[in-house]
Amino acid sequence: MRAFLEEMFFVPKWYHYPFILLLLPLSILYGIIMSLRRMIISPKEFGIPIISVGNLIVGGSGKTPFVIALASRLEGVVIISRGYGRKSKGLVEVSSEGRILVDVTQSGDEPMLMAQSLPHASVIVSEERALAIALAKEKGAKCIILDDGFNRVEIDKYDIILEPSVVKNYLPFPAGAFREFWFNQKYADIVAKEGEAFHRHVAFENLQPSMVLVTAISNPHRLDAYLPEGVVHKVYLEDHAYFEEEKLKMLLSEHKAQSLLVTEKDAVKMQDFKLPISEMKLKLQIQETIFTQVDEYIKGYRE
């Protein structure tokens, strides 16, 4: 069912359209409600520059590597994320200026990846973004990056939307992948289109002649275009799912593979596993004009 829905959301085939038509009234209603939120709710000013990196679709679009690339250029930055898939609740400090304070079960996979990738930044997870913003200010943050914050309409912020190149269904949930009507991107300060404003580059570590791909990301079929030779089997888990070491050992044995091929997001949940790992590392090449616009926003805010 998950594979069917992901295909329907991103690259629908002819057999998806009866379901899309059935769900269309709900999608229109959902889109109207989300648009009304933007008209009714007044955003609150928090007295600190806040940059949101988000998207309009459910699932991945490169937000995490984009946040890492942006945060690596900023001083005194605190990243705030909801922490999808974590086993904790409430506000949790994941890192403080690069010092890791919790394990991945408390942070979630994406916040942990950001924390480990940014030795000069701090990372906080919280369902209540306002509480995390207050803590960041208390700790002396100079600016804040909201991970996946476009739909947080109650916060006054500078919005960057990432627009992936793979989506062909532009309907709102539940008939499509969009969290709002696609034309609500007009509310963003920057719409960064994949293939124009940013490009993906995938590097590999420890490639082996025979590997099993194991991943717990949204829309995992998007990895297919980047897979190297030697992948003998693929295993897709739910987005943000955790792995069991013994089951992974059995997979290696069953398919006579020499290593597990995983993404960086998956790898942070396997750090204590005594297993051979091959890793896919996604980096983004981002137009310099985007960084310039963010710098101008921060400078103008402080003035």
Side-chain angles (χ1 to χ4, degrees):
M1 176 57 76
R2 178 171 62 90
F4 178 87
L5 288 175
E6 286 181 342
E7 192 177 42
M8 184 179 83
F9 281 175
F10 298 103
V11 283
K13 304 292 192 300
W14 64 268
Y15 48 80
H16 292 112
Y17 285 98
F19 296 93
I20 290 173
L21 289 172
L22 182 65
L23 295 169
L24 184 59
L26 288 176
S27 289
I28 293 173
L29 177 61
Y30 179 77
I32 290 172
I33 291 170
M34 296 303 287
S35 293
L36 286 174
R37 287 176 70 243
R38 293 195 173 274
M39 299 176 188
I40 294 171
I41 298 175
S42 298
K44 179 181 177 182
E45 168 61 53
F46 283 86
I48 187 171
I50 300 174
I51 305 108
S52 165
V53 177
N55 59 10
L56 277 173
I57 63 167
V58 297
S61 61
K63 292 188 302 294
T64 299
F66 198 101
V67 168
I68 291 171
L70 180 59
S72 67
R73 302 177 68 260
L74 300 173
E75 294 183 3
V77 62
V78 174
I79 299 166
I80 295 173
S81 174
R82 189 186 186 285
Y84 289 104
R86 62 189 171 116
K87 296 182 179 180
S88 63
K89 292 183 178 180
L91 188 150
V92 177
E93 286 189 77
V94 178
S95 68
S96 178
E97 297 180 346
R99 182 167 59 92
I100 307 297
L101 304 176
V102 297
D103 65 23
V104 69
T105 63
Q106 301 300 300
S107 67
D109 46 19
E110 291 167 347
M112 181 57 70
L113 176 56
M114 290 186 283
Q116 292 180 351
S117 303
L118 295 163
H120 303 295
S122 301
V123 179
I124 299 171
V125 294
S126 177
E127 296 89 350
E128 295 292 332
R129 308 301 202 284
L131 293 177
I133 293 170
L135 178 61
K137 289 180 64 178
E138 181 183 318
K139 289 183 168 291
K142 294 181 180 178
C143 64
I144 288 170
I145 296 177
L146 280 188
D147 173 39
D148 197 17
F150 182 63
N151 66 340
R152 308 315 307 176
V153 297
E154 73 278 11
I155 299 172
D156 186 44
K157 58 196 184 302
Y158 189 85
D159 274 306
I160 302 172
I161 286 182
L162 306 188
E163 185 178 308
S165 60
V166 296
V167 180
K168 295 182 179 179
N169 179 351
Y170 281 80
L171 290 172
F173 185 82
F178 278 69
R179 304 177 186 183
E180 305 181 36
F181 289 125
W182 67 269
F183 50 77
N184 278 1
Q185 65 179 258
K186 67 184 179 182
Y187 293 105
D189 297 282
I190 296 175
V191 178
K193 296 183 179 182
E194 183 177 357
E196 298 178 15
F198 70 95
H199 300 266
R200 298 172 187 254
H201 295 279
V202 178
F204 298 92
E205 285 188 0
N206 190 38
L207 286 182
Q208 299 296 321
S210 176
M211 299 172 289
V212 173
L213 172 68
V214 180
T215 187
I217 65 171
S218 172
N219 190 23
H221 297 286
R222 59 195 160 107
L223 297 178
D224 289 348
Y226 306 99
L227 293 181
E229 294 182 3
V231 176
V232 296
H233 186 65
K234 301 175 184 178
V235 177
Y236 301 140
L237 281 68
E238 294 286 341
D239 194 16
H240 304 291
Y242 289 84
F243 304 97
E244 295 182 32
E245 186 173 7
E246 287 304 315
K247 288 186 178 180
L248 296 179
K249 283 182 182 178
M250 291 173 61
L251 276 173
L252 287 171
S253 175
E254 178 184 350
H255 297 281
K256 297 181 173 58
Q258 294 165 301
S259 70
L260 299 168
L261 179 61
V262 303
T263 68
E264 289 180 287
K265 174 179 163 179
D266 302 311
V268 297
K269 294 178 287 190
M270 300 182 183
Q271 289 181 333
D272 297 327
F273 292 1
K274 294 178 175 59
L275 296 172
I277 300 293
S278 303
E279 195 169 334
M280 302 177 66
K281 293 182 175 288
L282 172 63
K283 305 296 180 186
L284 298 187
Q285 180 183 346
I286 302 170
Q287 277 186 345
E288 191 64 30
T289 53
I290 291 178
F291 296 137
T292 301
Q293 288 173 267
V294 171
D295 291 343
E296 288 175 351
Y297 159 71
I298 293 173
K299 181 181 177 182
Y301 187 95
R302 290 172 179 166
E303 290 176 349

